[in-house]
Amino acid sequence: MALNLDQQITPPTPPNLGAADVAYDQGFFTQSFGGLNTYFNKLTALFSALFGRRGGKWINSPYGAFQDSTDQTAANTTTAYAITFNTTDFSNGVTLSNSSRLNVAQAGIYNLQFSIQFTNTTNASQDVDVWFRKNGTNIDKSNSRFGFAPRKGVGDPFHIVAALNFFVSLAVNDYVEIMWRPTDTGVSIEHYAASSTPTRPAIPSVIATLSFVSNLSVETA
């Protein structure tokens, strides 16, 4: 079913009451109170919709979901590589640029989540570091290390999915990237085509989402 991205609550327009005459005018007050009554009834309905049991359906927060359908490799173990994407699944105020940059149009705190399909083709245990950069600069204390067992046999590599989430404070037009570095070039990020018997969907090499959490980007006591 197609998504209705325009389904939103419309705030009521304040009534134009005008200025009262010096002398009491019953018609003016009747009309004014009628306009106010209608306005406050609409406000009450608006708040009820927003804060009711299913009010979240009216909240239009920024988000983006992205994936990649290609293999990604490291040419050496001394370079930091930005994870790239070639598909935008959903985008509302969060956009992809330069294949690796997740850009935001709204300032706030965001939740960045990823799922990476790693493969180890070597005969030894290996590690991969995965961390985040904001506007080209490493984010302090954002690194994680994932360990991989040796391959199971010739043509049968070891597979593992690395996944986690991270909160990051972003300003308007900031961007974040997911970086990686393996201990051996035999470790790669791999995609898999759809399979049969039974029918199974394709496996993206990377899936990432960036979701708006709060507009309070500065922590207060």
Side-chain angles (χ1 to χ4, degrees):
M1 178 171 49
L3 295 176
N4 182 4
L5 300 180
D6 297 323
Q7 184 182 18
Q8 298 182 32
I9 290 179
T10 302
T13 302
N16 183 12
L17 302 179
D21 294 333
V22 176
Y24 174 76
D25 184 342
Q26 182 177 2
F28 171 81
F29 282 99
T30 299
Q31 182 179 0
S32 297
F33 287 140
L36 287 173
N37 185 59
T38 300
Y39 178 65
F40 285 119
N41 283 338
K42 289 182 178 180
L43 278 181
T44 300
L46 172 66
F47 289 135
S48 296
L50 284 174
F51 301 111
R53 292 179 59 188
R54 297 181 179 85
K57 70 178 182 179
W58 301 111
I59 298 175
N60 186 16
S61 297
Y63 56 82
F66 312 91
Q67 61 176 277
D68 189 63
S69 59
T70 66
D71 297 340
Q72 301 185 37
T73 59
N76 59 68
T77 62
T78 58
T79 300
Y81 295 91
I83 288 177
T84 58
F85 307 89
N86 65 4
T87 301
T88 297
D89 292 318
F90 301 99
S91 178
N92 180 35
V94 179
T95 56
L96 175 66
S97 69
N98 292 60
S99 299
S100 65
R101 298 178 179 180
L102 306 184
N103 310 267
V104 301
Q106 171 68 45
I109 296 176
Y110 286 78
N111 183 19
L112 175 57
Q113 296 181 282
F114 68 74
S115 171
I116 306 171
Q117 179 68 64
F118 281 111
T119 298
N120 180 19
T121 61
T122 74
N123 288 318
S125 299
Q126 303 295 342
D127 294 324
V128 168
D129 284 357
V130 181
W131 69 98
F132 304 104
R133 281 183 178 175
K134 179 169 75 171
N135 301 330
T137 301
N138 290 338
I139 298 177
D140 189 34
K141 300 178 182 178
S142 69
N143 195 19
S144 295
R145 181 163 296 171
F146 299 91
F148 312 138
R151 69 181 186 182
K152 291 170 281 186
V154 177
D156 190 10
F158 175 80
H159 308 285
I160 193 171
V161 172
L164 58 78
N165 71 293
F166 187 79
F167 275 27
V168 57
S169 178
L170 299 172
V172 175
N173 296 326
D174 277 354
Y175 68 87
V176 291
E177 295 175 289
I178 306 172
M179 312 298 298
W180 73 293
R181 172 264 180 190
T183 55
D184 191 282
T185 57
V187 175
S188 63
I189 303 173
E190 193 167 3
H191 85 288
Y192 297 90
S195 305
S196 60
T197 318
T199 300
R200 288 160 286 165
I203 301 175
S205 55
V206 184
I207 299 172
T209 61
L210 188 61
S211 306
F212 181 85
V213 176
S214 172
N215 63 354
L216 302 178
S217 57
V218 179
E219 183 178 351
T220 58

